[in-house]
PDB file of all heavy atoms in Angstrom:
ATOM      1  N   ILE A  13     -26.117  -1.467 -32.345  1.00 71.00           N
ATOM      2  CA  ILE A  13     -27.219  -0.666 -31.832  1.00 71.00           C
ATOM      3  C   ILE A  13     -26.922   0.788 -32.151  1.00 71.00           C
ATOM      4  O   ILE A  13     -25.906   1.337 -31.712  1.00 71.00           O
ATOM      5  CB  ILE A  13     -27.405  -0.883 -30.318  1.00 71.00           C
ATOM      6  CG1 ILE A  13     -27.755  -2.352 -30.062  1.00 71.00           C
ATOM      7  CG2 ILE A  13     -28.481   0.046 -29.779  1.00 71.00           C
ATOM      8  CD1 ILE A  13     -27.805  -2.716 -28.599  1.00 71.00           C
ATOM      9  N   VAL A  14     -27.812   1.385 -32.918  1.00 74.00           N
ATOM     10  CA  VAL A  14     -27.609   2.760 -33.358  1.00 74.00           C
ATOM     11  C   VAL A  14     -28.439   3.678 -32.469  1.00 74.00           C
ATOM     12  O   VAL A  14     -29.662   3.564 -32.406  1.00 74.00           O
ATOM     13  CB  VAL A  14     -28.043   2.933 -34.834  1.00 74.00           C
ATOM     14  CG1 VAL A  14     -27.803   4.353 -35.288  1.00 74.00           C
ATOM     15  CG2 VAL A  14     -27.287   1.958 -35.715  1.00 74.00           C
ATOM     16  N   THR A  15     -27.777   4.552 -31.749  1.00 75.00           N
ATOM     17  CA  THR A  15     -28.462   5.533 -30.908  1.00 75.00           C
ATOM     18  C   THR A  15     -27.785   6.876 -31.065  1.00 75.00           C
ATOM     19  O   THR A  15     -26.709   6.980 -31.657  1.00 75.00           O
ATOM     20  CB  THR A  15     -28.418   5.133 -29.414  1.00 75.00           C
ATOM     21  OG1 THR A  15     -27.053   5.099 -28.996  1.00 75.00           O
ATOM     22  CG2 THR A  15     -29.069   3.793 -29.164  1.00 75.00           C
ATOM     23  N   GLU A  16     -28.426   7.876 -30.520  1.00 72.00           N
ATOM     24  CA  GLU A  16     -27.827   9.197 -30.530  1.00 72.00           C
ATOM     25  C   GLU A  16     -26.706   9.255 -29.495  1.00 72.00           C
ATOM     26  O   GLU A  16     -26.732   8.546 -28.488  1.00 72.00           O
ATOM     27  CB  GLU A  16     -28.866  10.265 -30.164  1.00 72.00           C
ATOM     28  CG  GLU A  16     -29.984  10.383 -31.158  1.00 72.00           C
ATOM     29  CD  GLU A  16     -31.017  11.413 -30.719  1.00 72.00           C
ATOM     30  OE1 GLU A  16     -30.820  12.082 -29.692  1.00 72.00           O
ATOM     31  OE2 GLU A  16     -32.024  11.538 -31.413  1.00 72.00           O
ATOM     32  N   ALA A  17     -25.774  10.132 -29.741  1.00 75.00           N
ATOM     33  CA  ALA A  17     -24.709  10.348 -28.761  1.00 75.00           C
ATOM     34  C   ALA A  17     -25.300  11.059 -27.544  1.00 75.00           C
ATOM     35  O   ALA A  17     -26.230  11.854 -27.676  1.00 75.00           O
ATOM     36  CB  ALA A  17     -23.605  11.199 -29.375  1.00 75.00           C
ATOM     37  N   PRO A  18     -24.800  10.780 -26.354  1.00 70.00           N
ATOM     38  CA  PRO A  18     -25.330  11.480 -25.185  1.00 70.00           C
ATOM     39  C   PRO A  18     -25.023  12.974 -25.285  1.00 70.00           C
ATOM     40  O   PRO A  18     -24.012  13.362 -25.870  1.00 70.00           O
ATOM     41  CB  PRO A  18     -24.601  10.842 -24.004  1.00 70.00           C
ATOM     42  CG  PRO A  18     -23.390  10.226 -24.591  1.00 70.00           C
ATOM     43  CD  PRO A  18     -23.725   9.870 -26.005  1.00 70.00           C
ATOM     44  N   PRO A  19     -25.889  13.800 -24.707  1.00 71.00           N
ATOM     45  CA  PRO A  19     -25.631  15.241 -24.774  1.00 71.00           C
ATOM     46  C   PRO A  19     -24.375  15.590 -23.978  1.00 71.00           C
ATOM     47  O   PRO A  19     -24.052  14.924 -22.988  1.00 71.00           O
ATOM     48  CB  PRO A  19     -26.867  15.865 -24.124  1.00 71.00           C
ATOM     49  CG  PRO A  19     -27.461  14.779 -23.307  1.00 71.00           C
ATOM     50  CD  PRO A  19     -27.099  13.498 -23.968  1.00 71.00           C
ATOM     51  N   PRO A  20     -23.670  16.624 -24.408  1.00 77.00           N
ATOM     52  CA  PRO A  20     -22.465  17.003 -23.671  1.00 77.00           C
ATOM     53  C   PRO A  20     -22.823  17.537 -22.287  1.00 77.00           C
ATOM     54  O   PRO A  20     -23.871  18.151 -22.095  1.00 77.00           O
ATOM     55  CB  PRO A  20     -21.840  18.098 -24.539  1.00 77.00           C
ATOM     56  CG  PRO A  20     -22.971  18.630 -25.346  1.00 77.00           C
ATOM     57  CD  PRO A  20     -23.925  17.490 -25.546  1.00 77.00           C
ATOM     58  N   VAL A  21     -21.967  17.275 -21.333  1.00 73.00           N
ATOM     59  CA  VAL A  21     -22.188  17.748 -19.970  1.00 73.00           C
ATOM     60  C   VAL A  21     -21.789  19.219 -19.906  1.00 73.00           C
ATOM     61  O   VAL A  21     -20.648  19.571 -20.239  1.00 73.00           O
ATOM     62  CB  VAL A  21     -21.374  16.910 -18.966  1.00 73.00           C
ATOM     63  CG1 VAL A  21     -21.520  17.458 -17.572  1.00 73.00           C
ATOM     64  CG2 VAL A  21     -21.803  15.461 -19.020  1.00 73.00           C
ATOM     65  N   ASP A  22     -22.730  20.038 -19.496  1.00 76.00           N
ATOM     66  CA  ASP A  22     -22.467  21.464 -19.378  1.00 76.00           C
ATOM     67  C   ASP A  22     -22.084  21.762 -17.931  1.00 76.00           C
ATOM     68  O   ASP A  22     -22.934  21.789 -17.045  1.00 76.00           O
ATOM     69  CB  ASP A  22     -23.702  22.261 -19.797  1.00 76.00           C
ATOM     70  CG  ASP A  22     -23.441  23.751 -19.886  1.00 76.00           C
ATOM     71  OD1 ASP A  22     -22.316  24.180 -19.542  1.00 76.00           O
ATOM     72  OD2 ASP A  22     -24.350  24.485 -20.300  1.00 76.00           O
ATOM     73  N   ASP A  23     -20.809  21.945 -17.688  1.00 80.00           N
ATOM     74  CA  ASP A  23     -20.318  22.157 -16.322  1.00 80.00           C
ATOM     75  C   ASP A  23     -20.876  23.424 -15.696  1.00 80.00           C
ATOM     76  O   ASP A  23     -21.086  23.481 -14.488  1.00 80.00           O
ATOM     77  CB  ASP A  23     -18.790  22.203 -16.308  1.00 80.00           C
ATOM     78  CG  ASP A  23     -18.176  20.848 -16.625  1.00 80.00           C
ATOM     79  OD1 ASP A  23     -18.824  19.830 -16.342  1.00 80.00           O
ATOM     80  OD2 ASP A  23     -17.045  20.818 -17.147  1.00 80.00           O
ATOM     81  N   ALA A  24     -21.155  24.445 -16.511  1.00 81.00           N
ATOM     82  CA  ALA A  24     -21.697  25.697 -15.975  1.00 81.00           C
ATOM     83  C   ALA A  24     -23.091  25.476 -15.405  1.00 81.00           C
ATOM     84  O   ALA A  24     -23.426  25.989 -14.331  1.00 81.00           O
ATOM     85  CB  ALA A  24     -21.725  26.773 -17.054  1.00 81.00           C
TER      86      ALA A  24
END
Side-chain angles (χ1 to χ4, degrees):
I13 298 173
V14 181
T15 62
E16 296 178 4
V21 176
D22 188 356
D23 291 332

